[in-house]
Amino acid sequence: MLFFGVAGVFLLLFLVTFLYDRRLVRNGLYLFLALVFLAGGVLVELSSYSEWAASVLLLMLLLTIPLITLVLAGFLIVNGVTMMRREGRRPANLLSLAAGLGIIGIVAVKALANITRWLPLQVAVEAVSDVLAYVSLLFVCFLLYSFVYGRIRHRHDVDFIVVLGSGLIGSRVPPLLASRLDRGRTAFEAEESKGRHPVLVTSGGQGPGEDLPEARAMADYLISHGVPEDRILVEDQSRSTEENLRFSKALMQERRPDYRCLVVTNSFHVMRAARIARGEKVNAQVIGSRTARYFLPSATIREFVAVFLAHRVVNIGVCLLLASTSVVSAL
């Protein structure tokens, strides 16, 4: 019953913080811990009926972890090669390859430490393993809640639908940005079918290599797909997601101080955009558009790193504490 009790506490925490603000990243931690303790409770309950069945199930779970680790490493390496071929060798496109090689490297070094029994190497591996365990926990929580948040239906009426820019190729809207615009147009049409009259806001300034402000090209794309020009607002000064939301908020407040809006981005960017929207005090929820599958691993890792560093004081502090504790205990 202890496991179920702890699971209930974390589930209650999740529900309270979710109802307070579903954009909180820590909601994912509460949900993950609730599920872990619930699984532990089920396992303990099963053992009261059959210790053999519970032992077999636990053994299977323990054996699955290294198998999943190796499969994941292989998948990330293959995906990284695909990213390089299709998107080029920019650092952001190498994240999945680096993660896959990193997993293989850690496994190899850990095996070497166990074989050689060289104390300095064992201490270093133990410290790195503890830090990676913490980062992996946060990453799993981030993935879990990104999945949950991205599938929540937002039922409130909205006055504006803000589409975040992601870059042009000259003056052309590339597929990644087109998917956002198509998702925004779908949300716009869904609101209209319910008798509402939202306004689409295209948000993005002119960056290097772009022939015109991104928001202008986005507006032209929407107009060419049937959206009336007088139902589009253009925000063409922003250079980052923070500015996208801050400048769009000013436009919306100018027209309707008590506005409510939806923000549209790609699925991998939803959780970070929601966190930024909360920080900028934008009265919005975020929805995602589809993204090419090969693009998701590197993009998701990049988004997680950004969220991790947004809470750098706590996260780096915990990592340093774990590493130092490992070293002290090993010595």
Side-chain angles (χ1 to χ4, degrees):
M1 291 301 294
L2 176 61
F3 279 93
F4 288 125
V6 176
V9 170
F10 281 116
L11 182 59
L12 180 61
L13 277 173
F14 168 73
L15 292 174
V16 169
T17 55
F18 178 85
L19 292 173
Y20 171 70
D21 194 333
R22 65 183 63 176
R23 298 172 297 180
L24 289 167
V25 179
R26 66 172 177 265
N27 292 345
L29 177 62
Y30 299 146
L31 180 59
F32 175 77
L33 291 174
L35 293 175
V36 167
F37 279 99
L38 179 62
V42 170
L43 197 61
V44 170
E45 191 69 18
L46 177 61
S47 68
S48 66
Y49 292 97
S50 172
E51 290 188 6
W52 178 85
S55 299
V56 170
L57 181 58
L58 181 60
L59 181 62
M60 289 175 61
L61 289 172
L62 293 175
L63 291 176
T64 299
I65 293 174
L67 177 61
I68 291 176
T69 301
L70 292 175
V71 170
L72 177 63
F75 167 77
L76 289 172
I77 291 170
V78 171
N79 177 258
V81 173
T82 302
M83 279 291 291
M84 284 195 300
R85 288 176 177 173
R86 296 192 181 188
E87 302 291 335
R89 298 188 178 185
R90 292 187 297 115
N93 296 334
L94 302 178
L95 290 175
S96 59
L97 178 61
L101 293 174
I103 291 172
I104 296 295
I106 288 294
V107 171
V109 172
K110 195 164 188 174
L112 180 63
N114 291 334
I115 293 171
T116 61
R117 300 290 180 179
W118 187 38
L119 184 59
L121 183 59
Q122 288 180 314
V123 170
V125 167
E126 191 64 31
V128 170
S129 296
D130 287 349
V131 170
L132 287 178
Y134 171 71
V135 174
S136 298
L137 169 64
L138 295 184
F139 185 61
V140 170
C141 294
F142 176 79
L143 282 180
L144 172 65
Y145 194 59
S146 294
F147 178 83
V148 171
Y149 181 87
R151 281 155 182 78
I152 298 171
R153 291 189 176 185
H154 307 287
R155 302 181 182 279
H156 296 291
D157 299 356
V158 295
D159 307 297
F160 299 92
I161 298 169
V162 181
V163 184
L164 304 182
S166 62
L168 300 175
I169 300 176
S171 60
R172 182 172 65 84
V173 172
L176 192 73
L177 182 54
S179 72
R180 297 186 183 189
L181 291 164
D182 292 339
R183 183 71 179 91
R185 181 167 54 86
T186 299
F188 174 84
E189 292 170 351
E191 291 293 310
E192 282 209 317
S193 69
K194 298 172 184 175
R196 302 162 190 162
H197 303 286
V199 173
L200 275 159
V201 181
T202 56
S203 181
Q206 185 170 353
E210 296 177 344
D211 299 333
L212 74 166
E214 189 176 3
R216 184 66 261 169
M218 294 164 69
D220 292 341
Y221 179 94
L222 290 170
I223 292 167
S224 71
H225 285 75
V227 178
E229 186 173 0
D230 61 357
R231 303 286 294 282
I232 300 173
L233 281 177
V234 174
E235 183 289 294
D236 59 2
Q237 299 301 312
S238 54
R239 297 295 184 89
S240 65
T241 302
E242 287 82 0
E243 290 186 352
N244 286 146
L245 293 166
R246 188 181 308 145
F247 298 162
S248 296
K249 173 187 173 183
L251 287 178
M252 293 185 290
Q253 280 186 325
E254 182 181 330
R255 286 157 179 79
R256 189 181 180 94
D258 61 342
Y259 74 92
R260 189 191 301 271
C261 74
L262 280 179
V263 174
V264 182
T265 185
N266 284 92
S267 55
F268 60 82
H269 189 231
V270 163
M271 200 67 255
R272 185 160 72 96
R275 189 195 67 81
I276 294 171
R278 183 174 186 273
E280 294 292 335
K281 295 181 171 57
V282 179
N283 187 13
Q285 297 297 338
V286 185
I287 58 175
S289 64
R290 291 184 178 180
T291 307
R293 291 182 180 178
Y294 76 87
F295 197 87
L296 284 173
S298 284
T300 302
I301 293 171
R302 184 182 69 225
E303 295 301 307
F304 169 72
V305 170
V307 171
F308 183 90
L309 293 177
H311 301 86
R312 64 175 65 85
V313 174
V314 172
N315 287 327
I316 294 178
V318 171
C319 289
L320 291 174
L321 178 63
L322 289 171
S324 59
T325 302
S326 297
V327 171
V328 170
S329 62
L331 297 177

